[in-house]
C-alpha cells in the first residue's frame, strides 16, 4: 500500500459535473465525481459480480481513486478504518453483496465503536430478478443496520447522488461512524442522467457550553481526577489534556477498553486504564471528589455488576 497522504493537505479535487459543468453524468460517473469531491483517493474492496459496473467505471475514468484489493472483507474494512484514522478523512469501502457484507460486519462494529467515519457500499443483485432470490442476494440493509449509523437502500438512479452525499455528511458528523448503502448492480449501468447535489461542508466544532463553571469546579476540587476518553485522541487534544491535568494535579485514567492513546502512559499523573465494570470503576474513582470525563462515553461496561459507575459527586463531562 502506498504512503498515507498528509491529513492536513488533501489533494485538490475537480468540481462535480452538472448543470454548470456540461451535461449531467450517468449514475456510475456521478458516483466517481462525488467520491473525488469528498476527497476519496482510495477505494478499499474485495469485489464480485455485483461490483463489476463500479470496477468498469473505475477502469474507464481518468483520475479515478486507486483500488486497494483485499482478500477478505474483514481486512478490507480494517484497512479503511486505519486509513480514515491516519488521514482524518472519511474512507470508502466496496463490499460484495450479502456474503461480503457479512464478512465485513466485525470491522464495521469496530468502526462504529471507535467512531471511525466510513462510507460502505455493497452491490445488490440486479433488480429485474430480485423476486426470484438470485444467488447471494439478501436483505443487505437489515444485515448492516446493527453495525452502522444509518443505511440507504438505493432503488432509483436519481436518488444515488443525494444518498451518497448524505452518507458522507452523516459518517463524519459527530459521533462519527460507518454509513451503509445498498446499490443494485444494474442501477449503475442505467443510461440516464442524474444531477449531483452540491457538497455542503460540515460545520466546525463550537466551544462547549459551561466551560467557566467546569473550570471552577475542577479548580475548586480538593481531590480531582480525570478520565481520558477516545475523543481526546481522535481530536488530537492530548497536549491540552496534559496541561489541564498538570494545572490541577489530577491523576488521569484511560477510559475502559480505550482505542486511542489519550494520555501519555509514562506521565507521572497517569493512573492506568479503568476496568470495564461499574463496581471496579466506582472503587477506582471513590477517593476523589471531582471527576472530569473528557471525550468518553461514561461508561460502556463489558461485564455486568450492580450499581452505577459513579457515586454522587461533582462530575464534569466534556
Amino acid at each position: 500500500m502506498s504512503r498515507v497522504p498528509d491529513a492536513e493537505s488533501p489533494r485538490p479535487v475537480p468540481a462535480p459535473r452538472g448543470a454548470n459543468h456540461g451535461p449531467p453524468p450517468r449514475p456510475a460517473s456521478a458516483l466517481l465525481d462525488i467520491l473525488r469531491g469528498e476527497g476519496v483517493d482510495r477505494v478499499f474492496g474485495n469485489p464480485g459480480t455485483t461490483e463489476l459496473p463500479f470496477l468498469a467505471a473505475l477502469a474507464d475514468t481518468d483520475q479515478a481513486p486507486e483500488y486497494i484489493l483485499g482478500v477478505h472483507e474483514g481486512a478490507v474494512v480494517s484497512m479503511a478504518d486505519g486509513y480514515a484514522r491516519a488521514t482524518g478523512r472519511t474512507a470508502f469501502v466496496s463490499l460484495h453483496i450479502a456474503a461480503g457484507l457479512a464478512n465485513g460486519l466485525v470491522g464495521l462494529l469496530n468502526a462504529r465503536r471507535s467512531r471511525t467515519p466510513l462510507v460502505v457500499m455493497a452491490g445488490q443483485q440486479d433488480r429485474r430478478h430480485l423476486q426470484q432470490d438470485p444467488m447471494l442476494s439478501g436483505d443487505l440493509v437489515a444485515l448492516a443496520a446493527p453495525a452502522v449509523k444509518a443505511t440507504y437502500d438505493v432503488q432509483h438512479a436519481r436518488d444515488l447522488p443525494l444518498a451518497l452525499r448524505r452518507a458522507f455528511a452523516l459518517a463524519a458528523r459527530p459521533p462519527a461512524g460507518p454509513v451503509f448503502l445498498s446499490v443494485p448492480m444494474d442501477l449503475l449501468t442505467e443510461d440516464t442522467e442524474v444531477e449531483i447535489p452540491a457538497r455542503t461542508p460540515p460545520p466546525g466544532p463550537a466551544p462547549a457550553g459551561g466551560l467557566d463553571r467546569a473550570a471552577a469546579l475542577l479548580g475548586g476540587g480538593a481531590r480531582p481526577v480525570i478520565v481520558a476518553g477516545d475523543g481526546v485522541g481522535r481530536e488530537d487534544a492530548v497536549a491540552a489534556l496534559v496541561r489541564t491535568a498538570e494545572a490541577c494535579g489530577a491523576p488521569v485514567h484511560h477510559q475502559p477498553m480505550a482505542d486511542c492513546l489519550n494520555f501519555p502512559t509514562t506521565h507521572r499523573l497517569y493512573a492506568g486504564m479503568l476496568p470495564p465494570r461499574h463496581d471496579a470503576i466506582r472503587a477506582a474513582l471513590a477517593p476523589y471528589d471531582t471527576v472530569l470525563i473528557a471525550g468518553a462515553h461514561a461508561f460502556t461496561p463489558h461485564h455486568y455488576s450492580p450499581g452505577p459507575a459513579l457515586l454522587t459527586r461533582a462530575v464534569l463531562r466534556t
Side-chain angles (χ1 to χ4, degrees), residues 8 18 54 82 94 126 155 163 165 179 192 229 240 259-260 262 289:
E8 300 300 324
F54 178 51
S94 175
D126 193 308
Q155 289 295 315
R165 280 280 193 238
V179 176
T192 183
D259 283 345
C260 302
N262 307 309
D289 64 353

Side-chain angles (χ1 to χ4, degrees), residues 105 109 112 141-149 151:
L105 284 178
L109 287 166
R112 182 169 186 177
V141 166
L143 185 60
V148 298
K149 285 182 64 176
T151 61

